[in-house]
Amino acid sequence: EAQVTQNPRYLITVTGKKLTVTCSQNMNHEYMSWYRQDPGLGLRQIYYSMNVEVTDKGDVPEGYKVSRKEKRNFPLILESPSPNQTSLYFCASSLLGQGRGITEAFFGQGTRLTVV
Amino acid sequence: AQTVTQSQPEMSVQEAETVTLSCTYDTSESNYYLFWYKQPPSRQMILVIRQEAYKQQNATENRFSVNFQKAAKSFSLKISDSQLGDTAMYFCAFMKHSTGSARQLTFGSGTQLTVLP
């Protein structure tokens, strides 16, 4: 079954304690990205990757890091979490595609992060 | 930069009735894609319907259809014969079309739809 898997689904942590949220896809997609969802703001892109070892900032990258050492995995790293990073996080993947045509984004199940 | 605006934070509709969710966007691009995503209480993001900007015909998927007005930059979602399972947050999203380039989705703030029995 084609899917994007995030772990953990729920996480409560304390300010300053490094954490990693994992994301893995089994569809051989080139493009992967992370979004955060906050009330009244919708989803905003944090970082994205167009292929292995190719990553770039999205709209809200401050306080986050990512890596893309393998095509299937795209972990999100919070080296020193702060309460303003309390949010719902989504990983997504899609084919890059060429020419005309929509490439659908597949989303993970979401990770609810609380930083106290 | 693109922006997507959903001006209705909350809406409700009686079961079996029809409801329309509005979405407007701002872009200087001529080729792009538009999407409606549904997020039920399970938090899963589910693609409801999509529209390619170069296609004049409005997309339909069973009970879901869109009214795409390119000149007005409007992309509304119509849900016919509303069902209790349609209760969810609905997000409108924009994606720039760019060959071999980034596939960033720009989302609106969402509309919480409640279907009443």
Side-chain angles (χ1 to χ4, degrees), chain A residues 11 13-21 65 76-81:
Chain A
L11 180 59
T13 190
V14 296
T15 299
K17 185 176 181 181
K18 180 179 179 179
L19 66 91
T20 299
V21 183
K65 285 177 59 176
L76 179 69
I77 303 157
L78 286 73
E79 297 221 328
S80 183

Side-chain angles (χ1 to χ4, degrees), chain A residues 34-55:
Chain A
W34 278 100
Y35 293 85
R36 62 177 288 173
Q37 180 181 345
D38 302 290
L41 297 176
L43 284 77
R44 295 174 293 167
Q45 192 181 56
I46 302 170
Y47 266 94
Y48 67 92
S49 169
M50 294 175 67
N51 216 323
V52 176
E53 302 293 358
V54 180
T55 64

Side-chain angles (χ1 to χ4, degrees), chain B residues 54-65:
Chain B
Y54 69 89
K55 290 185 177 179
Q56 292 186 337
Q57 186 173 5
N58 289 326
T60 62
E61 287 285 345
N62 301 313
R63 298 182 295 108
F64 298 88
S65 61

Side-chain angles (χ1 to χ4, degrees), chain A residues 9-10 31 35 37 40 42-43 45 50 59 88 90 96-104 107 109-110, chain B residues 33 35 37 39 42-45 47 50-52 54 91 95 97 99-105 107-109:
Chain A
R9 295 287 308 275
Y10 299 90
Y31 186 78
Y35 293 85
Q37 180 181 345
L43 284 77
Q45 192 181 56
M50 294 175 67
D59 294 327
L88 177 60
F90 286 97
L96 274 178
Q98 296 291 328
R100 301 180 93 83
I102 293 177
T103 58
E104 180 181 346
F107 285 83
Q109 318 95 305
Chain B
Y33 309 123
F35 305 85
Y37 280 89
Q39 187 181 52
S42 66
R43 302 187 326 217
Q44 183 67 38
M45 293 290 287
L47 179 63
R50 55 195 176 195
Q51 175 82 40
E52 294 162 271
Y54 69 89
F91 291 102
M95 179 190 289
H97 169 72
T99 302
S101 182
R103 296 286 176 173
Q104 179 181 11
L105 286 161
F107 286 87
S109 55

Side-chain angles (χ1 to χ4, degrees), chain A residues 100, chain B residues 2 25 27-33 52-55 68 70 73 94 96-97:
Chain A
R100 301 180 93 83
Chain B
Q2 286 67 232
Y25 58 94
T27 183
S28 59
E29 303 288 329
S30 58
N31 289 327
Y32 49 87
Y33 309 123
E52 294 162 271
Y54 69 89
K55 290 185 177 179
F68 174 48
K70 190 172 184 179
K73 296 181 181 175
F94 173 102
K96 184 172 63 173
H97 169 72

